[in-house]
Amino acid sequence: MERIIMNSLKNPAALFSFDGKYILSNEPFKKITGLNEKQLRNKNIGSIFKEIFIDKILRTLEEKKFSFHSIQINNINYSLFIFPVIENLKDRLLVFLLGEDLEYEKEELLEVLIQKTPAGTFIYKDTFIFSNRTFQEITGYTEEELKKIRPYEIVHERYRKEVIEIIKKRLSGEKLEKHYDLLTIISKTGKEKHLELVTATIKYQGSYAGIGVCVDRTEKVELEQRLNYLYTHDEITNLPNRKKFIEYLSKSLNYAVKNSHLVAVILIDIKDMKLINKEYGYSVGDQLLKEIGKKLKKVVTNVDYVARVGDDEFGVIIYAFKSMGNLSENIEKILKEVEDTYLIDGFKIPVEVKMGISIFPKDGKTSEELYKNSEIALLKAKKTIGKKFEFFSEDSYKEISKILFLKGKIRDVIQKNSIKMFYQPIVQLQNNSIFGLESLFRLITSNGKIIMPQEIIPVAEETGLIVELGQKILDSVLDFSKKLPEKIKLSVNISPVQFNKTGFDDELIKNIKDRDINPEKLILEITESAIMSNISDKIRRIKKLKDFGIQIALDDFGTGYSSLNYLKRFPIDYLKIDISFVSGIGKDKSDEMIVKTIISMAKNLNMMTIAEGIENEQQLRFLRYEGCDFGQGYYFGKPASHNEILKLTDKNSL
């Protein structure tokens, strides 16, 4: 059957196996190649057509359903098409040669050939005069309908003018390039179809005609378009993303330079967006972000620009405003429009924002500078209670740069687990013996500078790193406790954020059990701010820790809430007298009275006292006389490293 069909074709054609070996061909093929059947049997496709390799053909067929090549045989140009076909249940490669000097008369034989291919194929003159089933499926038209349609009529209008010119040239026999990369047509249903297309000029039924082979690339093109869109846009709000925002800002600055315009970059943070997602669910949170995006689009002009630049941040470019007064009006409009109560899925959600603003050219000459400085201004606004927005300034730059520096150092310490702990003795005041040690975290820079906790902890809390940092500190302290004498207690400061984390008590108990540590060696130091919310839950958790054997110290007592009504309800073991009161002993009668009161109150509540910051003999005598239990400070010793403190605890006295 293969030989009968092949010999009936008047056009050059041949069959090859999928590994490129010659099977059979017709006489026109032998005539053009100059090879007889005996010569062809010893050849493969690469030896007949130089520089056409079977592996390249197979890769092309897998993607395009056909392989096209422009070749020369005896200095004559031909279009070589290769199609995968099945004959007698065997996979074959059909090679089909087209040349402008060849005549194609037998449409029914051409149809036998082309209908076997998985690629869309058509021949046209004024209208489509032939189309295979695949091309009909792609376009949505029947063969009879296509015979009434001029080829350019189904082409997308943005390509139509060019296609009309090409059709005219083909039908006149003019020499043309044979390959389109991509062409968009409109199907019968009105849907855009994207075709990878190869066309050539042939002689058909006595005159020039165009022949085309195509593959439907619509799914691929639409996927690429979607990916390109997502690369530059936010999927939830359909607003441009940070990348697109920076690109547009760069263009705006170019125009602004030429026209001496001012440009403002406003970054808007949606307060507590993470809590909103947690409370109401991400679907509600996403809908809220959409509504905020719509409101921002509504409030700006058509030359301004809105984008979603982060999980809970939007960016606005105010372009070509004339004065700071105009900018202030825009800021007020944004605040008035966005700060509202939103009704989403039956939930009433109040929204508050913070904004950071930088202005071109004052605050930066490039898009990167302006964006960075808006971020700095936003961080300043988020730190400043009661302020809705901040403009960039050198002072805020210095302040935020320091925060960013510390944040980087903290993150580095966490990632490398390079915790540096120091320990200061806590002394029993009546006999100067070491009762315990307070563990103190220090951040040491590359040049040896020591950064104290009062600088580190607020940054760690603001940036959300405090829980990880606190856990690393706690792990280090627990490991060190195993090296200490059994009777030496070890205290560690716990941040309110860390203490209030769900499951903190259970995790701590598990860590102590896993390390096989006596829990009675550990004292947790917490501040009043950590326990003055959700009181009943805090009492329950502290009691749970105490029942396990851990002791609790209330740090910096007298500087915070100091509510005696609440204090009597908490099972606290120690009150730590703040250094600000201890330093006043011998200088300020009010401070001395406060210290006396705290010691007396602690005794009445069955709590012990620890005085911080003891630096001289006068303070020590006063505290002993008033009955203070324990003390710490430079008078007894500065914070020391692991090795130094181990030597000191071996002596167990000062």
Side-chain angles (χ1 to χ4, degrees):
M1 181 61 72
E2 289 175 340
R3 188 169 298 280
I4 293 172
I5 293 175
M6 192 63 61
N7 288 333
S8 65
L9 293 173
K10 303 302 181 185
N11 315 119
L15 284 175
F16 291 82
S17 66
F18 253 63
D19 58 3
K21 292 179 181 178
Y22 172 82
I23 297 174
L24 62 91
S25 64
N26 63 3
E27 288 305 315
F29 184 87
K30 295 182 178 73
K31 183 177 179 181
I32 285 176
T33 59
L35 300 169
N36 58 38
E37 184 69 22
K38 184 177 180 181
Q39 292 170 317
L40 286 168
R41 287 188 185 281
N42 298 321
K43 292 185 177 292
N44 58 39
I45 200 166
S47 61
I48 298 171
F49 305 108
K50 304 299 183 185
E51 299 182 3
I52 297 178
F53 302 105
I54 188 64
D55 56 341
K56 183 178 179 181
I57 291 170
L58 294 177
R59 285 198 303 271
T60 306
L61 291 178
E62 186 176 344
E63 183 182 356
K64 294 186 177 181
K65 313 301 183 190
F66 69 93
S67 183
F68 167 76
H69 308 268
S70 292
I71 63 170
Q72 273 196 344
I73 301 176
N74 298 325
N75 295 320
I76 298 175
N77 294 325
Y78 292 94
S79 295
L80 176 68
F81 288 93
I82 303 174
F83 302 99
V85 296
I86 297 177
E87 284 293 341
N88 296 328
L89 300 179
K90 295 178 181 179
D91 290 329
R92 300 284 190 245
L93 296 177
L94 171 63
V95 173
F96 188 55
L97 280 166
L98 293 177
E100 293 175 8
D101 296 329
L102 299 175
E103 186 78 18
Y104 299 89
E105 296 289 354
K106 301 284 187 179
E107 182 178 331
E108 68 278 7
L109 296 179
L110 186 61
E111 183 171 354
V112 169
L113 174 70
I114 294 178
Q115 292 290 18
K116 294 180 179 294
T117 72
T121 312
F122 57 88
I123 300 174
Y124 65 85
K125 289 188 178 179
D126 289 335
T127 62
F128 290 102
I129 57 177
F130 167 80
S131 61
N132 71 350
R133 283 187 296 272
T134 304
F135 188 71
Q136 292 159 25
E137 289 169 1
I138 291 171
T139 63
Y141 292 102
T142 65
E143 184 177 16
E144 291 306 312
E145 287 172 330
L146 285 168
K147 286 180 178 179
K148 298 175 184 177
I149 295 174
R150 294 180 175 87
Y152 64 80
E153 289 177 335
I154 65 170
V155 174
H156 194 287
E157 60 182 13
R158 66 174 173 266
Y159 303 110
R160 193 168 293 171
K161 185 176 179 181
E162 180 186 359
V163 168
I164 289 173
E165 289 302 312
I166 290 171
I167 290 173
K168 285 180 181 178
K169 290 177 181 179
R170 287 216 183 280
L171 297 185
S172 68
E174 186 175 333
K175 301 286 185 182
L176 293 174
E177 293 292 328
K178 297 182 177 66
H179 186 57
Y180 275 111
D181 284 332
L182 204 64
L183 183 69
T184 303
I185 68 168
I186 307 299
S187 70
K188 184 177 180 179
T189 62
K191 178 178 173 57
E192 288 187 8
K193 292 291 187 77
H194 306 282
L195 309 183
E196 194 160 1
L197 175 69
V198 175
T199 60
T201 304
I202 62 172
K203 276 187 178 178
Y204 188 72
Q205 295 180 340
S207 61
Y208 286 108
I211 185 170
V213 180
C214 64
V215 175
D216 188 353
R217 287 284 184 238
T218 303
E219 284 188 17
K220 180 183 177 183
V221 170
E222 288 179 347
L223 177 60
E224 288 174 351
Q225 290 173 343
R226 181 64 179 161
L227 291 175
N228 287 335
Y229 180 84
L230 293 177
Y231 184 60
T232 57
H233 286 74
D234 170 50
E235 192 171 12
I236 293 171
T237 62
N238 287 321
L239 290 173
N241 61 13
R242 184 182 183 278
K243 181 181 184 300
K244 193 72 174 176
F245 184 82
I246 297 292
E247 287 177 3
Y248 187 86
L249 179 56
S250 296
K251 293 177 183 177
S252 298
L253 298 185
N254 290 335
Y255 290 128
V257 169
K258 294 174 184 176
N259 298 286
S260 300
H261 285 163
L262 297 172
V263 179
V265 177
I266 304 175
L267 295 184
I268 304 167
D269 178 81
I270 309 304
K271 189 178 177 184
D272 296 330
M273 193 64 218
K274 291 181 177 64
L275 291 177
I276 290 170
N277 283 328
K278 186 176 180 180
E279 180 72 20
Y280 302 104
Y282 281 94
S283 61
V284 171
D286 290 350
Q287 188 60 39
L288 176 62
L289 290 171
K290 288 180 186 178
E291 294 302 314
I292 292 172
K294 288 177 185 176
K295 288 203 170 195
L296 285 171
K297 289 282 287 182
K298 175 183 172 184
V299 81
V300 302
T301 68
N302 58 354
V303 295
D304 298 329
Y305 200 72
V306 177
R308 186 184 177 203
V309 295
D311 288 344
D312 47 11
E313 286 184 16
F314 290 84
V316 177
I317 298 170
I318 305 295
Y319 180 72
F321 59 94
K322 295 179 180 179
S323 68
M324 291 302 292
N326 295 138
L327 179 58
S328 297
E329 289 175 10
N330 280 292
I331 292 169
E332 288 174 8
K333 285 179 183 176
I334 290 171
L335 284 171
K336 185 178 179 181
E337 191 70 30
V338 176
E339 287 206 326
D340 198 358
T341 298
Y342 294 74
L343 183 62
I344 309 289
D345 288 354
F347 299 108
K348 290 182 179 180
I349 306 173
V351 167
E352 294 181 43
V353 301
K354 293 275 190 172
M355 298 193 294
I357 306 151
S358 65
I359 300 169
F360 171 85
K362 178 176 72 73
D363 298 328
K365 301 294 192 294
T366 67
S367 56
E368 289 78 12
E369 278 183 297
L370 285 168
Y371 192 92
K372 175 188 172 186
N373 290 341
S374 292
E375 285 185 309
I376 289 170
L378 178 59
L379 283 171
K380 175 70 174 175
K382 290 165 76 172
K383 280 172 56 67
T384 308
I385 297 172
K387 291 201 76 171
K388 293 292 184 184
F389 58 87
E390 284 279 355
F391 288 92
F392 173 77
S393 68
E394 286 301 324
D395 288 341
S396 64
Y397 174 78
K398 291 175 184 176
E399 180 183 346
I400 301 304
S401 292
K402 183 178 180 182
I403 291 173
L404 294 175
F405 169 78
L406 288 174
K407 180 181 178 181
K409 290 294 181 185
I410 294 167
R411 195 181 296 280
D412 192 52
V413 164
I414 292 170
Q415 290 174 347
K416 294 180 180 178
N417 197 21
S418 54
I419 298 293
K420 298 291 184 186
M421 298 302 299
F422 291 76
Y423 298 88
Q424 186 175 40
I426 301 172
V427 174
Q428 201 162 13
L429 294 186
Q430 299 308 315
N431 59 19
N432 278 10
S433 64
I434 295 179
F435 162 76
L437 303 167
E438 180 177 4
S439 52
L440 301 165
F441 170 66
R442 299 286 187 266
L443 200 158
I444 303 175
T445 64
S446 56
N447 60 7
K449 181 184 176 183
I450 295 177
I451 303 175
M452 304 300 282
Q454 53 265 36
E455 293 185 73
I456 302 165
I457 300 304
V459 173
E461 289 180 338
E462 287 176 19
T463 55
L465 295 171
I466 188 62
V467 173
E468 286 182 87
L469 179 63
Q471 188 58 54
K472 295 289 185 183
I473 290 171
L474 194 51
D475 288 343
S476 178
V477 169
L478 291 176
D479 289 338
F480 183 63
S481 71
K482 299 180 74 172
K483 300 177 182 179
L484 293 171
E486 190 63 29
K487 61 182 178 180
I488 301 294
K489 292 186 179 292
L490 196 55
S491 75
V492 59
N493 293 276
I494 303 297
S495 158
V497 176
Q498 186 181 9
F499 184 76
N500 290 324
K501 180 191 170 212
T502 303
F504 168 78
D505 44 350
D506 293 325
E507 289 177 16
L508 177 57
I509 290 170
K510 183 178 184 300
N511 283 340
I512 291 173
K513 286 180 177 178
D514 290 346
R515 286 175 167 83
D516 193 25
I517 296 170
N518 179 2
E520 294 179 0
K521 290 180 68 173
L522 189 65
I523 301 173
L524 294 188
E525 294 193 20
I526 58 177
T527 60
E528 294 171 75
S529 61
I531 60 175
M532 288 303 171
S533 63
N534 199 0
I535 302 293
S536 59
D537 178 63
K538 301 298 167 51
I539 292 172
R540 179 189 61 78
R541 292 172 65 188
I542 289 174
K543 189 174 185 306
K544 183 176 183 179
L545 293 169
K546 279 182 61 63
D547 288 345
F548 181 63
I550 298 170
Q551 292 187 304
I552 306 294
L554 193 60
D555 199 12
D556 302 334
F557 184 75
T559 62
Y561 295 89
S562 303
S563 172
L564 302 182
N565 183 46
Y566 288 137
L567 182 62
K568 68 181 183 180
R569 297 171 57 189
F570 283 100
I572 303 293
D573 298 289
Y574 306 94
L575 289 183
K576 295 197 75 173
I577 305 172
D578 189 69
I579 187 174
S580 61
F581 304 127
V582 174
S583 62
I585 294 173
K587 303 174 186 177
D588 189 318
K589 293 297 182 184
S590 296
D591 284 340
E592 290 180 355
M593 183 57 67
I594 291 172
V595 171
K596 287 180 182 180
T597 303
I598 293 173
I599 294 171
S600 175
M601 180 183 62
K603 290 183 184 300
N604 291 329
L605 293 173
N606 293 318
M607 299 176 188
M608 290 177 283
T609 48
I610 303 172
E612 297 180 295
I614 301 173
E615 295 185 348
N616 55 55
E617 185 72 25
Q618 185 180 9
Q619 292 168 349
L620 175 59
R621 285 199 305 267
F622 178 88
L623 291 165
R624 277 177 176 167
Y625 180 79
E626 295 299 331
C628 182
D629 301 290
F630 308 102
Q632 63 186 99
Y634 282 10
Y635 182 81
F636 304 110
K638 294 181 179 181
S641 65
H642 284 199
N643 293 335
E644 291 172 324
I645 210 71
L646 286 174
K647 292 176 184 176
L648 187 62
T649 53
D650 284 343
K651 299 175 183 178
N652 200 22
S653 65
L654 295 174

